[in-house]
Amino acid sequence: MADEAKSQKPRVGVYICHCGTNIAGSMDIKELEEYSKEIPNVVLVDEYQYMCSTPGQKKIEEHIKEHNLTGIVVAACSPRLHEPTFRTASKEGGLNPFRFEMANIREQNSWVHMHDRQGATDKAKDALKMAVAKASLLEDLYPKSVPVEHAAMVVGAGVGGIQAALDLASSGIKTYLIEKSPTIGGRMSQLDKTFPTLDCSQCILTPKMVDIDRHPNIEMMTYTEVEKVEGYIGNFDVTLRKKARGVLTPAEAEARGIVGGGCNGCGDCEGVCPVIKPNPFEMGMAPRKAIYIYHAQVVPLIYTVDFDSCVKCNLCVDICGDKKAIDLEQEDEFVTVKVGTAVLAVGYELFPIEKKTEWGYKRYDNVINALEFERLICASGPTGGKVIRPSDGEVPKRVGFVLCAGSRDNTGIGKPYCSRFCCMYSLKHAHQIHEKIPGAQPYIFYMDIRSFGKMYEEFYYRIQDEGAKFIRGRVAKIEEDPITKNLRVITEDTLLGQPVDIELDMVVLASAVQPTAETTHVRNLFGISCSGDGWLLEGHPKLNPCGTTTAGVFLAGVCQGPKDIPDTVAQAEGAAAAASIPIHVGEVELEPYFAMCIDDKCAGCGMCIDQCPYSALALVEKDGREVMQVTEAKCKGCGTCGGFCPGGAIWMQHFTTPQIVAQIDAFLLGGEQ
């Protein structure tokens, strides 16, 4: 069939999808059908309500055989959604799947011109004749298979990264867990309790942290960052920077011939260190030394030297004694590992809520953010779980919680999206105020309460029954009494239509969340996209929520968008399952969209090599002269080299110059040239 298709005059079948009323409701399908019959090389035109359904695909399969079609055009939705579907249908009909072309008349047409029926119909005609022009020139292409390294990498060791690493390792895959901080655990390790079950956060997280340390298939690499990524699905070469920790693990000490040496977490060094710095784990509300651990439950229990603060007095070296665990001259190391797939779980950070000046954060002592409240009320926090006012250490009796602080904010300062878990953790905080401070009164200032998860609505009712006062309205302003440091909260109760002016002892801002500062760096290293608000972009929001547009790279947790702990863990399990599939299969197929060099035209100038963002090009010697050669597995078919080549020697498969010119001719001249 393939050979016949190549030698025959083009015979293209055109299929127009109604997509329910998504397309048919905005354009004249009958007019499109009649128009398509007149396009050169079209021998069959058909339409169906849902071309992606089984009956729709069956039509394609049967018509290829009955009408000896050499090309298929489906006018429907985005190729991102159903191109694989129709390729499979073409293949089932006996046609090479890369002789299929898709005309996007939904996202690029009916959805943006839904009130201009004739205009949308005319635009669809252009899309159809351009697709047919290209389909008439398509050739058979064949994917290549490459072996997959039996190892995976998880970047980020919060609860999402921990879950993904455990799942991958438990399925028999060697897994590298990379964490930039000295310890694993992420944001969840800073929480006191979790909603709605009120489980102790440490009690459900630390066993998993210990499991990571014990798992034979996991190589945990803390205080380590991804420096460079090369390769492709199945064969990523990842260069890691192991930052100088200044402290040797027992294994590192043994490698240096120090028997029985290395850090055992005794803390003697911390006791003699003269340098005091704010502890970021405690949100700056407690001190740490220049040689430190964040908290007692860290994994791994290895101290770290803050070289930016260390004065190198050597007191820590002296007291460490024969263990010889401290090396103040240690330098960063670089290691390269090969993995088949990667899961990114790089988490989030709080929006700098001080930008919303009307609430006085960082100007008024008793205005704090929710993460600071978590540390205050946590038993392992800086106050041992006693909630006090930062201004005077008194126990607050009237505590306000301001929801949507920076979220759902279209002023251009905050974030327009919902941060999703702020409502629920604020309800939890209100419960904890009741629980820990008898007689205290929490006030919740809200726009809407979004309690969408399992048992969340019941938890909301519980907090109402406990006596929390709910005031519906965005807080306009907070003012501080300079004498008492009490806070005057000014807003409007939109349910009662009355202004509210209330004096409180302390206010907690449920700050919006945003991508971390490192997210863009990691995104660029792995070559994946982001949405307009900076979160990492999934392959498809419904059909591929864990994947990305870069094959072999998957997402887990809040780095893809705000989500709570249950959703983070669920996505991590999905990402781990998806990342394990190509590894267990052992090989993957690469789409044959790669560059090809026409040796006779290549002058061997090598100018294209520096242009390639994937390092897929190199000069090799053939017949006594140098010509460019493509490493097909590395090439992503971006076309950069083809567009740059001064001699026109680079040919992009499936996007050849004749195919592109034919589309332009079809649009401008009706395909007559």
Side-chain angles (χ1 to χ4, degrees), residues 314-327:
N314 282 333
L315 291 173
C316 55
V317 177
D318 294 341
I319 201 166
C320 190
D322 293 339
K323 295 192 289 293
K324 298 182 180 178
I326 300 173
D327 178 4

Side-chain angles (χ1 to χ4, degrees), residues 295-307:
H295 57 95
Q297 293 78 35
V298 296
V299 174
L301 182 54
I302 302 292
Y303 274 76
T304 301
V305 175
D306 176 2
F307 282 105

Side-chain angles (χ1 to χ4, degrees), residues 209-320:
M209 293 165 63
V210 175
D211 288 345
I212 288 286
D213 199 25
R214 290 175 177 165
H215 205 295
N217 286 339
I218 294 178
E219 184 169 341
M220 177 175 58
M221 302 175 76
T222 56
Y223 215 44
T224 300
E225 294 180 354
V226 178
E227 188 75 11
K228 185 179 178 183
V229 180
E230 295 180 301
Y232 46 90
I233 180 174
N235 296 275
F236 290 110
D237 291 309
V238 184
T239 302
L240 303 169
R241 177 193 288 268
K242 295 179 68 176
K243 293 182 286 188
R245 197 173 197 130
V247 178
L248 304 179
T249 65
E252 289 170 337
E254 186 176 351
R256 293 189 181 189
I258 306 171
V259 180
C263 182
N264 60 9
C266 67
D268 291 344
C269 52
E270 186 178 19
V272 299
C273 179
V275 179
I276 296 177
K277 300 289 290 185
N279 186 347
F281 182 82
E282 302 292 359
M283 304 301 289
M285 296 185 292
R288 68 160 170 79
K289 299 294 185 67
I291 185 165
Y292 66 95
I293 55 174
Y294 278 153
H295 57 95
Q297 293 78 35
V298 296
V299 174
L301 182 54
I302 302 292
Y303 274 76
T304 301
V305 175
D306 176 2
F307 282 105
D308 291 334
S309 305
C310 179
V311 295
K312 296 194 175 180
C313 61
N314 282 333
L315 291 173
C316 55
V317 177
D318 294 341
I319 201 166
C320 190

Side-chain angles (χ1 to χ4, degrees), residues 145-161:
S145 294
V146 295
V148 177
E149 185 73 17
H150 199 80
M153 174 175 288
V154 178
V155 183
V159 65

Side-chain angles (χ1 to χ4, degrees), residues 273-562:
C273 179
V275 179
I276 296 177
K277 300 289 290 185
N279 186 347
F281 182 82
E282 302 292 359
M283 304 301 289
M285 296 185 292
R288 68 160 170 79
K289 299 294 185 67
I291 185 165
Y292 66 95
I293 55 174
Y294 278 153
H295 57 95
Q297 293 78 35
V298 296
V299 174
L301 182 54
I302 302 292
Y303 274 76
T304 301
V305 175
D306 176 2
F307 282 105
D308 291 334
S309 305
C310 179
V311 295
K312 296 194 175 180
C313 61
N314 282 333
L315 291 173
C316 55
V317 177
D318 294 341
I319 201 166
C320 190
D322 293 339
K323 295 192 289 293
K324 298 182 180 178
I326 300 173
D327 178 4
L328 296 181
E329 304 303 322
Q330 191 177 34
E331 296 183 350
D332 293 355
E333 295 179 20
F334 295 88
V335 296
T336 299
V337 298
K338 183 181 280 291
V339 296
T341 57
V343 177
L344 305 185
V346 293
Y348 70 96
E349 65 184 16
L350 294 183
F351 168 72
I353 198 61
E354 61 271 22
K355 290 184 177 180
K356 300 291 289 184
T357 56
E358 61 267 36
W359 296 323
Y361 180 71
K362 288 192 175 178
R363 287 191 293 123
Y364 304 149
D365 291 342
N366 296 323
V367 177
I368 63 175
N369 67 36
L371 211 46
E372 290 167 338
F373 183 84
E374 288 283 353
R375 295 313 302 156
L376 279 179
I377 207 164
C378 183
S380 61
T383 60
K386 183 180 180 181
V387 180
I388 57 172
R389 299 205 321 165
S391 65
D392 51 19
E394 295 294 321
V395 176
K397 290 290 186 179
R398 300 165 297 175
V399 182
F401 296 93
V402 178
L403 276 58
C404 297
S407 302
R408 305 170 68 193
D409 185 323
N410 292 309
T411 63
I413 300 174
K415 302 295 180 183
Y417 49 80
C418 171
S419 293
R420 295 192 71 202
F421 48 87
C422 317
C423 288
M424 292 306 297
Y425 73 58
S426 294
L427 294 176
K428 178 194 70 175
H429 290 165
H431 166 80
Q432 290 175 297
I433 286 290
H434 274 302
E435 183 181 66
K436 294 212 170 185
I437 309 176
Q441 178 60 62
Y443 295 83
I444 296 177
F445 301 92
Y446 72 103
M447 294 170 65
D448 306 289
I449 296 295
R450 298 189 168 182
S451 52
F452 50 85
K454 185 178 182 181
M455 301 299 290
Y456 287 10
E457 191 71 6
E458 292 86 340
F459 188 71
Y460 172 31
Y461 296 148
R462 174 180 174 180
I463 305 308
Q464 286 181 319
D465 293 340
E466 289 177 348
K469 291 188 182 300
F470 289 77
I471 300 172
R472 186 176 186 273
R474 188 185 283 273
V475 172
K477 192 175 185 181
I478 297 176
E479 296 179 347
E480 182 191 62
D481 184 321
I483 306 299
T484 65
K485 299 294 183 183
N486 287 346
L487 301 165
R488 182 180 166 210
V489 178
I490 301 167
T491 184
E492 178 188 4
D493 189 327
T494 57
L495 292 179
L496 299 177
Q498 294 180 347
V500 174
D501 188 339
I502 187 171
E503 184 174 318
L504 301 177
D505 300 326
M506 190 165 78
V507 168
V508 181
L509 302 176
S511 306
V513 297
Q514 65 180 17
T516 65
E518 295 80 16
T519 298
T520 300
H521 177 62
V522 173
R523 179 177 76 81
N524 290 334
L525 288 174
F526 284 91
I528 60 177
S529 304
C530 70
S531 54
D533 44 26
W535 300 108
L536 299 182
L537 190 63
E538 66 282 342
H540 188 278
K542 301 178 185 66
L543 303 180
N544 191 13
C546 300
T548 68
T549 50
T550 297
V553 181
F554 303 87
L555 304 177
V558 186
C559 64
Q560 184 239 347

Side-chain angles (χ1 to χ4, degrees), residues 83 87 96-102 134-135 137-141 591-594 596 651-657 659-660 663:
E83 187 176 61
R87 275 191 192 161
N96 184 284
F98 296 94
R99 284 180 174 263
F100 162 77
E101 181 67 12
M102 201 158 186
K134 182 177 179 184
L137 298 178
L138 290 176
E139 298 178 344
D140 291 352
L141 298 176
E591 290 197 332
Y593 298 159
F594 48 80
M596 295 183 67
W651 185 269
M652 302 306 302
Q653 293 211 110
H654 205 67
F655 298 95
T656 64
T657 299
Q659 291 166 0
I660 301 298
Q663 286 186 289

